[in-house]
Amino acid sequence: MEKISSSSAQNSEEWQKRETLKKEIKQKINNYINNLDDSSHNQYLYLLIVEDSQEHHLCYLENSIYEIGRRHDADIILRDLSVSRTHATIVKEYNQEENLFFYKIIDGSLSGNKSKNGLVINNKKFGSKYLEHGDLIIFGDHAKARFFVIDKNSQNQDFFNIVNFEKTNILDEDSYAKKTLNNNNYIVKEIDSQSENIRDYIAKLGSFAELSPYPIIEINLQGKITYYNPATGLLFPDLKDEKMNHPVLINLLKAEHKIHGNLFVREVFYQDKIFEQYIHYLPELKVIRIYIFDFTKRKRIEAKLKDSEAKYRAVVEQISEGIFLFNAENNKIIEANESVTRILGFSLEELIGENIETFLNNKNFDFCHKLRLLKQTKASFREELRLKAKNRESVYVELSISIINYQNQLVFCSVFRDIGQRKLLEEQLKFQAYHDSLTGLYKRNYFREYAAKKINTFHRKKYYLAVAFFDIDYFKEINDSYGHDVGDMLLQNLTERIKYCLKKRDCLARWGGDEFVALFGNIKEIQDLIVIVERILQSVRRPFVFDGVTINASTSIGVAVYPLHGDSVDCLLKKADEALYETKRNGRDGYTIAGSMMN
């Protein structure tokens, strides 16, 4: 009993899965048909239902060529590892002699490279084959597909009535009885050769065809026209006289024995117009039914679209900006243009399939967070960051990202440009704004900002800060005696000597002319401050030698201590300046500490 119950539950579960799949696929097909442009007069849909690792995909065949395989850029991508990178190719083949189109599947690529598993259709191996309604194609261990031709105008669009879902799966071998999907309004499934039955059949056809705005023609297998509707007479008035020599009928009988299946499509040209014919061979009725649609406007639109797409791709490849497309689920790169390879130095093979985060110079959590927000809000964003480059240091880029629907999947579209030169210029301008061009020291504007920040962070600490003013004694006389070039060299060399006397976190700036200002931090005692000042005085007293010219120089220093002599930058600078002039009054070449005027 336990085994029976378990088996029953399992069967019920399998049935539920099949019913769910059936409803999902039917709903997708109906949605696709309902969303078709009104200008599309195709009566039939050509459909591949692909099963790949337990997932089903619907592929509507419309284009001229479809590449199938594991390649990321294949038109129909299979993820089964037993499938070749280019496993098969479907082409819409044109027979010039008979002016016919067929969907044909070829093993491997058009260049002649065969797949490793071969092309298996309906349990037979083929090098190539014209696809028939119901063909089962095996690509690999877990990848297969079924080909369908669906009449989208049929009242019964549920084509699963030809599959026994009670016992089999739609993609199981030997589970599908090939039939053509007919419109139940006017297709008689069982009919004999009795003349009254044929007349009755034509009468039923007429109830539909007489009202159709599109030409409908029937001929028998001997080439005699048995019916055409009023729309045919209006559009092709010479059909009655030309008969089988008319462009819409020529070669139909000749091609009959070459048709693999009972439905095919071809294009015909008539009086500067392009028509697409859907030709239905009905051997049980011994007739050929032809539906004709004027595709001139559509073909012109398609030509313009192809031209636009070609221009778009040409622009994408020519623009200087790099373009990445990467999957919104796993962030793996699926496409990149040539500018990406030029900017970063990586080849397309090195880029495709890699996670975009691999190319971030550092782990950027903010960037990854913005990507997650983009998926939710669909609001694009702009970011400046560094990307890794192959043969040089990282590249600074300005990158804008949006999310788009591409090849039936959500992808991030990233457009970026190299802003390395702009950043370099910005750094140069920033340096020039805060640094003296002669000595490379900070300017007074930076010193004020830096000192203010230090005071704000030091007010809770038990140490002192000190601001010191310096100037070179008798610098005007040195300039007048030896010239401005020597004066400039003196300023540069004196700067290096003073910097050598300071600690790493102390700040030295040129205030103007021969005046300098310094900020000393972490002073525990006043005696520590005196040691630093004495070291500077001794350093400056050593002779300076420039091109054989020896200059003996000295400096005068005034010092103010935070918080003893003030609690703001301006107050400390004022006290240090007063102390400096006290040093000059006392004979120069020394120092004075404000407050006590200690010197």
Side-chain angles (χ1 to χ4, degrees):
M1 288 293 291
E2 187 175 343
K3 286 186 178 180
I4 293 173
S5 299
S6 175
S7 176
S8 176
Q10 186 176 2
N11 289 338
S12 176
E13 185 179 349
E14 290 297 324
W15 182 85
Q16 287 290 345
K17 287 182 179 178
R18 288 194 295 267
E19 284 299 305
T20 301
L21 173 61
K22 172 182 174 180
K23 289 177 182 178
E24 287 179 356
I25 293 178
K26 179 182 176 183
Q27 184 62 45
K28 287 180 180 179
I29 293 172
N30 287 338
N31 290 343
Y32 179 84
I33 292 173
N34 293 333
N35 291 330
L36 284 176
D37 193 293
D38 291 338
S39 64
S40 174
H41 302 312
N42 287 351
Q43 171 135 357
Y44 297 97
L45 297 179
Y46 298 90
L47 173 69
L48 271 185
I49 299 182
V50 181
E51 180 182 300
D52 183 22
S53 300
Q54 304 305 315
E55 294 182 354
H56 291 82
H57 309 280
L58 273 64
C59 305
Y60 302 96
L61 301 184
E62 296 174 340
N63 299 332
S64 299
I65 298 177
Y66 292 86
E67 291 185 339
I68 306 172
R70 285 193 298 108
R71 283 194 6 252
H72 73 278
D73 57 347
D75 301 293
I76 300 174
I77 300 174
L78 302 175
R79 293 176 175 81
D80 184 351
L81 295 179
S82 65
V83 173
S84 301
R85 285 175 54 80
T86 303
H87 196 101
T89 307
I90 293 178
V91 295
K92 190 178 183 182
E93 190 173 277
Y94 176 61
N95 186 314
Q96 187 172 11
E97 178 186 354
E98 298 163 1
N99 200 23
L100 301 177
F101 284 97
F102 307 97
Y103 277 108
K104 183 178 182 180
I105 188 165
I106 300 169
D107 182 20
S109 66
L110 292 179
S111 61
N113 296 323
K114 301 296 184 182
S115 66
K116 59 183 178 182
N117 296 334
L119 182 63
V120 178
I121 305 173
N122 304 328
N123 293 323
K124 294 181 181 179
K125 218 165 194 179
F126 290 88
S128 64
K129 183 183 185 299
Y130 289 100
L131 286 174
E132 300 179 49
H133 180 63
D135 277 347
L136 177 65
I137 310 163
I138 306 296
F139 298 107
D141 297 337
H142 305 289
K144 50 190 172 183
R146 180 80 76 176
F147 177 73
F148 291 100
V149 181
I150 302 173
D151 183 348
K152 73 177 185 182
N153 293 326
S154 172
Q155 286 188 349
N156 180 16
Q157 290 178 359
D158 181 6
F159 66 99
F160 293 114
N161 62 349
I162 54 180
V163 180
N164 187 352
F165 265 86
E166 298 296 328
K167 297 179 180 178
T168 59
N169 186 287
I170 187 170
L171 291 176
D172 283 346
E173 289 85 347
D174 303 324
S175 67
Y176 179 80
K178 292 189 205 173
K179 296 180 182 178
T180 301
L181 304 177
N182 297 322
N183 187 308
N184 294 334
N185 267 355
Y186 59 92
I187 302 300
V188 181
K189 292 184 178 179
E190 295 182 6
I191 186 168
D192 58 33
S193 59
Q194 296 292 331
S195 59
E196 64 263 19
N197 287 338
I198 294 178
R199 284 195 296 272
D200 180 63
Y201 160 73
I202 293 176
K204 289 184 178 182
L205 170 64
S207 65
F208 165 82
E210 292 296 309
L211 301 177
S212 174
Y214 309 112
I216 299 175
I217 306 170
E218 270 200 2
I219 63 173
N220 61 25
L221 300 184
Q222 288 73 46
K224 182 179 179 181
I225 298 174
T226 58
Y227 172 82
Y228 61 83
N229 67 347
T232 304
L234 289 173
L235 198 55
F236 308 113
D238 50 353
L239 176 66
K240 187 175 180 180
D241 296 329
E242 294 189 24
K243 299 179 182 177
M244 294 304 294
N245 291 321
H246 195 279
V248 299
L249 298 181
I250 196 166
N251 289 330
L252 284 185
L253 294 178
K254 183 179 178 182
E256 179 191 4
H257 67 282
K258 297 183 179 179
I259 301 303
H260 292 256
N262 56 1
L263 173 70
F264 72 96
V265 181
R266 71 173 184 176
E267 285 184 359
V268 294
F269 300 87
Y270 177 76
Q271 294 185 351
D272 297 326
K273 288 190 175 184
I274 304 171
F275 295 93
E276 196 159 282
Q277 287 184 298
Y278 291 77
I279 300 159
H280 210 160
Y281 281 82
L282 303 172
E284 72 277 11
L285 302 176
K286 298 182 179 178
V287 296
I288 302 171
R289 184 177 300 125
I290 305 107
Y291 305 91
I292 305 174
F293 302 98
D294 187 347
F295 268 44
T296 307
K297 184 178 179 181
R298 177 175 175 176
K299 290 295 181 181
R300 287 173 181 167
I301 292 173
E302 286 178 355
K304 288 181 180 178
L305 286 174
K306 286 181 180 178
D307 184 55
S308 298
E309 183 180 355
K311 289 178 180 177
Y312 167 76
R313 288 200 170 273
V315 170
V316 166
E317 291 303 326
Q318 292 299 320
I319 61 175
S320 58
E321 285 81 1
I323 299 178
F324 273 131
L325 293 182
F326 55 100
N327 190 287
E329 294 300 324
N330 55 25
N331 289 346
K332 288 188 176 180
I333 299 168
I334 57 178
E335 277 194 27
N337 70 344
E338 290 296 329
S339 291
V340 174
T341 65
R342 177 180 52 78
I343 295 172
L344 301 183
F346 295 102
S347 67
L348 289 176
E349 289 75 15
E350 293 172 311
L351 294 167
I352 302 303
E354 292 293 330
N355 192 305
I356 189 66
E357 295 178 40
T358 305
F359 299 96
L360 300 181
N361 194 45
N362 294 302
K363 186 68 175 178
N364 192 322
F365 294 103
D366 183 56
F367 177 74
C368 297
H369 176 66
K370 287 180 179 179
L371 288 181
R372 289 192 292 271
L373 286 180
L374 177 56
K375 288 176 65 175
Q376 299 171 7
T377 64
K378 305 295 189 291
S380 59
F381 69 90
R382 190 180 299 272
E383 182 95 354
E384 289 186 2
L385 46 75
R386 288 185 178 274
L387 294 178
K388 292 179 182 177
K390 187 173 183 179
N391 299 318
R392 55 183 175 132
E393 294 181 1
S394 59
V395 179
Y396 222 125
V397 300
E398 181 184 65
L399 178 145
S400 62
I401 297 186
S402 57
I403 192 166
I404 62 173
N405 195 301
Y406 178 73
Q407 294 182 351
N408 297 322
Q409 60 180 325
L410 284 178
V411 301
F412 292 120
C413 177
S414 166
V415 180
F416 69 90
R417 58 193 179 97
D418 186 347
I419 58 171
Q421 291 298 320
R422 192 192 82 188
K423 281 293 179 181
L424 182 61
L425 179 60
E426 287 177 359
E427 291 296 326
Q428 290 173 348
L429 292 174
K430 185 177 179 180
F431 185 88
Q432 291 171 7
Y434 286 110
H435 290 80
D436 174 58
S437 59
L438 177 63
T439 63
L441 296 177
Y442 292 115
K443 292 182 179 179
R444 65 170 67 188
N445 56 345
Y446 179 84
F447 181 85
R448 283 182 176 278
E449 293 177 11
Y450 182 80
K453 289 179 182 177
K454 281 293 184 181
I455 288 174
N456 289 335
T457 58
F458 248 75
H459 70 280
R460 294 181 181 178
K461 296 185 178 181
K462 297 180 180 179
Y463 300 106
Y464 297 111
L465 285 174
V467 172
F469 260 124
F470 308 77
D471 72 2
I472 302 174
D473 296 332
Y474 306 110
F475 181 72
K476 183 178 183 302
E477 288 78 0
I478 294 172
N479 248 348
D480 293 343
S481 300
Y482 298 103
H484 290 287
D485 290 343
V486 172
D488 288 346
M489 286 189 286
L490 176 61
L491 290 172
Q492 291 169 337
N493 281 264
L494 182 138
T495 295
E496 294 303 316
R497 290 189 184 184
I498 295 176
K499 283 167 64 177
Y500 186 77
C501 297
L502 304 183
K503 289 180 289 186
K504 187 174 182 180
R505 293 188 179 180
D506 293 341
C507 181
L508 179 65
R510 186 182 181 190
W511 199 253
D514 65 324
E515 288 184 315
F516 299 86
V517 63
L519 180 72
F520 308 133
N522 293 337
I523 305 296
K524 292 182 179 180
E525 299 176 357
I526 297 299
Q527 188 59 40
D528 296 334
L529 174 62
I530 294 173
V531 170
I532 297 172
V533 172
E534 290 283 4
R535 187 188 306 142
I536 293 172
L537 289 171
Q538 292 296 332
S539 176
V540 175
R541 286 171 185 154
R542 294 199 312 271
F544 293 88
V545 179
F546 309 115
D547 297 331
V549 177
T550 301
I551 297 176
N552 294 305
S554 63
T555 181
S556 298
I557 304 174
V559 184
V561 179
Y562 170 87
L564 301 179
H565 306 131
D567 58 0
S568 68
V569 175
D570 288 336
C571 184
L572 293 171
L573 287 171
K574 181 180 178 183
K575 293 290 185 182
D577 189 50
E578 291 173 354
L580 170 63
Y581 279 94
E582 181 67 20
T583 302
K584 290 184 177 182
R585 282 194 294 270
N586 292 330
R588 305 175 187 267
D589 191 18
Y591 68 90
T592 300
I593 296 177
S596 63
M597 293 303 178
M598 177 179 179
N599 56 56

